[in-house]
Structures are given as C-alpha cells and as structure tokens.
Amino acid sequence: LGGASEQVENEFRVRAADGSWRWINSSMTVVSRDAENAAVVYVGREVDVTERRELEQELALARESAERRAAEAETLRQVGVILTSAMSVQDAIEAVLEQAHRVIPYRSAGVYMQRDGVVALVGGSDEPGDVSLELVSHNEVIGRLELCTNEGHELSSREQELLQVFADQVAVALRASRLYDETLSLAMTDPLTGLATRRAFEHMASHRISLAKRDEAPVSVMMVDIDYFKKLNDCYGHAAG
C-alpha cells in the first residue's frame, strides 16, 4: 500500500482450530494517504472462500477428465479405422500400439501370435513386459500383449481398462489375419493332395515371369502327363493317387 495501488488482494491457506485447511481471501483498500503518499487509513476484509476454491478444483478435475475421455474416445475411433483398413497385420498392430501410447504411458510393447503351439512376435518390441495380457477371440487364446510400463509408473484402473480394450482390438486383428491366411491357403492348396492349385500356379508363374524379365533370365515350364493315372485313382482311391 506504500505505492500507487489503492487496493491489494490475495488468497492464502490457514489451518483452523479443528486441524482442517481453510482458504482465505484477504483484501485491503486505501481510504486516505498523507503528504508523502503513505496510506494512513485503509479498510481490510478477510473472507473464507474454501467452498469456492473446492468447487473450482472439482470443476477443473471434471474438465480434465472430460478432455481425457474425449481423447480416449478419439483414439479408440482411430483404432477402429486402422483395423478396417487394408494394411497388413504387422502395420495394423504397429499403428494400434502407437495410438495406445497416446493414452497409456509405456516404454515398449509387443504383440505375440500363437499358432499350432508356436508363439511368435508379430509387432512391436520383443522386450519382456511387466504387464502381460492374453489376447482372446471367440473364447480362444490366440496370442498375448506384453507391455513395459514407464519406470515408477503404476497403471491406474482406467489405464488398465483401456489396455484391455486395446488388447481386445489387437485380438480381432490377429484373428482376422489368421483367417485370411487360412483362406489364402485353401485357395492356393488342394486339400486332398496338398499340392498347389491352378490359382497358385498362375500367381507364382506371373511372379516368376516378372523376375525373369527384370533379370533378363530364361524361365521354363514343365508339364508331366502320367499314363493310366485314372486307373490308379479308380483302383486305389484318390487319396492314394
């Protein structure tokens, strides 16, 4: 109050007699000054504003929570777009993990696919994680998600819920990839003999011819006709043939 300001206001905390903390708004207004501009008369007021400060804090937390939920919803929407796009399963998993990193803090993550008793890394890092989730689709475990959290950070219950959602999304991607591979195998392989089908031959021939043109190398096709092969099938069955 010794300067040109006519009013001073601030807020501070004090401990009440019951041990609780209270917020106080303190203000002072200069009424008159002497010849040297020093405040001679001033009026002061102190008001308990604890309820207002608590309400402001609740509103700030609610706003922060709403913004976080909006970011999570947008991230999950992006994951849905990724999984319906025509990218490879490896690219899809990398993109999903990148989206997950926006709402779940972690150091590294890896996705493993389980097939015919063999578990193989299909996306992300192979660093062992401190959080591991099974990837389940149609009541079948088809892989697992390994997550290395940031040092000193323990996942909150909300982050664990989100991680499970991402794990479910990744499981969908893995199952779709496996079904695609199985369908492709059925289209390219004769189920009776295990030999390549005409479609597989045309696909491989086109590829080999393109390589031959690029390398200016010859390419050959051999056809074999076995005499009386029909009699073998008729006598011993197609499985033997």
Side-chain angles (χ1 to χ4, degrees), residues 49-62:
V49 294
T50 302
E51 291 185 2
R52 174 176 63 79
R53 291 297 294 256
E54 290 177 347
L55 180 59
E56 290 175 350
Q57 185 177 16
E58 290 177 2
L59 289 174
L61 291 175

Side-chain angles (χ1 to χ4, degrees), residues 149-169:
T149 58
N150 291 337
E151 186 175 355
H153 178 79
E154 184 175 349
L155 296 181
S156 66
S157 59
R158 178 55 183 169
E159 289 171 340
Q160 292 177 25
E161 292 175 2
L162 283 173
L163 184 60
Q164 185 61 60
V165 172
F166 281 109
D168 293 341
Q169 298 277 27

Side-chain angles (χ1 to χ4, degrees), residues 101-118:
H101 197 267
R102 297 184 178 185
V103 292
I104 302 174
Y106 66 83
R107 187 172 70 254
S108 65
V111 175
Y112 296 80
M113 178 185 283
Q114 179 176 312
R115 178 181 293 178
D116 299 327
V118 178

Side-chain angles (χ1 to χ4, degrees), residues 30-172:
V30 176
V31 176
S32 64
R33 296 180 181 273
D34 58 17
E36 297 179 355
N37 201 37
V40 178
V41 180
Y42 56 86
V43 177
R45 183 187 67 167
E46 291 186 344
V47 180
D48 187 333
V49 294
T50 302
E51 291 185 2
R52 174 176 63 79
R53 291 297 294 256
E54 290 177 347
L55 180 59
E56 290 175 350
Q57 185 177 16
E58 290 177 2
L59 289 174
L61 291 175
R63 185 182 303 109
E64 180 183 351
S65 177
E67 292 174 350
R68 184 172 61 252
R69 295 279 180 161
E72 293 169 357
E74 174 59 20
T75 299
L76 293 176
R77 188 190 70 81
Q78 291 292 339
V79 169
V81 172
I82 291 168
L83 294 179
T84 55
S85 63
M87 61 175 61
S88 68
V89 64
Q90 289 82 4
D91 291 340
I93 288 173
E94 293 289 350
V96 168
L97 293 180
E98 181 181 350
Q99 291 294 324
H101 197 267
R102 297 184 178 185
V103 292
I104 302 174
Y106 66 83
R107 187 172 70 254
S108 65
V111 175
Y112 296 80
M113 178 185 283
Q114 179 176 312
R115 178 181 293 178
D116 299 327
V118 178
V119 179
L121 180 72
V122 292
S125 169
D126 62 353
E127 181 180 359
D130 53 299
V131 177
S132 181
L133 291 178
E134 289 185 337
L135 302 177
V136 182
S137 180
H138 293 259
N139 297 321
E140 179 188 3
V141 177
I142 60 175
R144 72 175 188 271
L145 170 63
E146 295 279 341
L147 190 79
C148 294
T149 58
N150 291 337
E151 186 175 355
H153 178 79
E154 184 175 349
L155 296 181
S156 66
S157 59
R158 178 55 183 169
E159 289 171 340
Q160 292 177 25
E161 292 175 2
L162 283 173
L163 184 60
Q164 185 61 60
V165 172
F166 281 109
D168 293 341
Q169 298 277 27
V170 170
V172 170

Side-chain angles (χ1 to χ4, degrees), residues 179-191:
L179 289 176
Y180 173 80
D181 291 342
E182 292 173 355
T183 302
L184 184 62
S185 177
L186 290 174
M188 296 293 188
T189 307
D190 178 67

Side-chain angles (χ1 to χ4, degrees), residues 222-241:
M222 182 174 65
M223 297 183 65
V224 178
D225 184 18
I226 302 177
D227 292 337
Y228 309 114
F229 192 73
K230 184 177 183 301
K231 290 184 178 181
L232 177 65
N233 286 333
D234 294 342
C235 182
Y236 300 102
H238 288 277

